[in-house]
Amino acid sequence: MSESISKTQYLQTILELSSGDETTKISNNQIAEHLNVTPSSVSNMLAKLQEAGEVDVVPYYGVTLTEPGRQTALRLIRSHRLIETFGATKLGLSISEAHFNADNLDHDADVEFVDALERFLDFPKYSPHGLLIPDANFNYEQEKLRTLREAKDLETVTLNSFTEDLELLQYVETVGLELGTTWTIKERLPFDGPLVLSDGSRDVQVTQHAADFIFIND
């Protein structure tokens, strides 16, 4: 992975974890967990991004994006999610396959291509895994949602969206979780074990870690 791609992925991650809220500070541990990197790697990259004027780091509190950093993140997210949508809706790819290929194309797509792709797709609002697509003016007001882990025992929930992570998308496909489906939290297994979900016909176990990146409707 080149350094330029790495930097933009960090910016994208900060924006996504904050749900677009410019005031929400994101911790190094949150970023490390999301990107599957070490906290020291996060610290090193945030130092570079701060020097470049793309993030503001407040020691012990977290990081926020500057306006230049936010614009870079929004451009990447818009490109990525439109390419994902094309792959899933027009090419018949699974969500994880569409995501994987978008990761390899989104950084090189110019504005004219992305705008043309949006028109071709008839201006979709959400990506195949339920995340908001910034419009051509980079408007982005992602609603704040609860995670699956935050659901109460015996609560019935509807799956709203999945975080943009290849392993997570492959995981939900493997266990058979789809957006818009409704599940009841039957129980939580001991020792920080998985959540047991039921749709009335079958049970599915979802790890606590995965549940942090699956969002539900209130």
Side-chain angles (χ1 to χ4, degrees):
M1 179 183 294
S2 71
E3 185 179 64
S4 61
I5 293 177
S6 177
K7 285 181 178 180
T8 52
Q9 287 192 338
Y10 270 81
L11 296 173
Q12 177 184 357
T13 295
I14 295 167
L15 183 65
E16 183 179 331
L17 290 175
S18 68
S19 298
D21 185 344
E22 298 177 30
T23 63
T24 298
K25 293 180 175 60
I26 305 303
S27 72
N28 287 23
N29 285 340
Q30 285 177 281
I31 298 170
E33 184 176 27
H34 188 85
L35 292 176
N36 295 315
V37 296
T38 64
S40 62
S41 295
V42 174
S43 297
N44 291 337
M45 181 56 72
L46 291 183
K48 294 177 182 178
L49 291 172
Q50 186 168 34
E51 184 177 354
E54 294 182 302
V55 301
D56 285 325
V57 179
V58 180
Y60 308 110
Y61 287 92
V63 59
T64 57
L65 295 175
T66 63
E67 187 56 30
R70 179 180 172 83
Q71 291 303 310
T72 298
L74 286 169
R75 177 186 58 77
L76 176 63
I77 288 175
R78 172 173 163 79
S79 172
H80 180 94
R81 293 179 184 172
L82 285 168
I83 293 171
E84 275 183 328
T85 303
F86 175 75
T89 63
K90 301 301 181 181
L91 302 182
L93 301 179
S94 68
I95 296 177
S96 62
E97 290 173 325
H99 170 79
F100 173 78
N101 283 280
D103 261 350
N104 292 303
L105 298 170
D106 53 15
H107 294 80
D108 296 324
D110 63 20
V111 173
E112 289 75 16
F113 173 84
V114 173
D115 289 349
L117 186 58
E118 182 182 45
R119 291 192 297 272
F120 175 75
L121 295 170
D122 197 22
F123 301 93
K125 188 173 181 181
Y126 295 98
S127 76
H129 43 92
L131 297 178
L132 186 68
I133 300 173
D135 66 19
N137 295 317
F138 297 134
N139 293 313
Y140 183 81
E141 296 182 5
Q142 179 74 41
E143 61 181 322
K144 289 193 174 181
L145 299 167
R146 287 187 297 153
T147 66
L148 181 60
R149 189 200 279 255
E150 294 173 309
K152 299 177 176 63
D153 290 350
L154 302 181
E155 182 180 358
T156 298
V157 302
T158 301
L159 304 185
N160 174 279
S161 51
F162 306 128
T163 293
E164 226 154 32
D165 179 90
L166 179 60
E167 289 186 3
L168 176 74
L169 297 176
Q170 292 171 333
Y171 176 83
V172 296
E173 288 171 354
T174 298
V175 300
L177 295 179
E178 296 182 0
L179 295 185
T181 56
T182 300
W183 300 84
T184 298
I185 314 300
K186 286 184 64 175
E187 61 178 320
R188 299 167 197 262
L189 298 182
F191 296 102
D192 204 28
L195 282 69
V196 181
L197 312 183
S198 174
D199 66 356
S201 60
R202 67 187 181 99
D203 290 354
V204 171
Q205 292 189 6
V206 178
T207 67
Q208 297 275 1
H209 179 67
D212 282 331
F213 301 102
I214 298 172
F215 299 94
I216 58 175
N217 291 330
D218 282 326

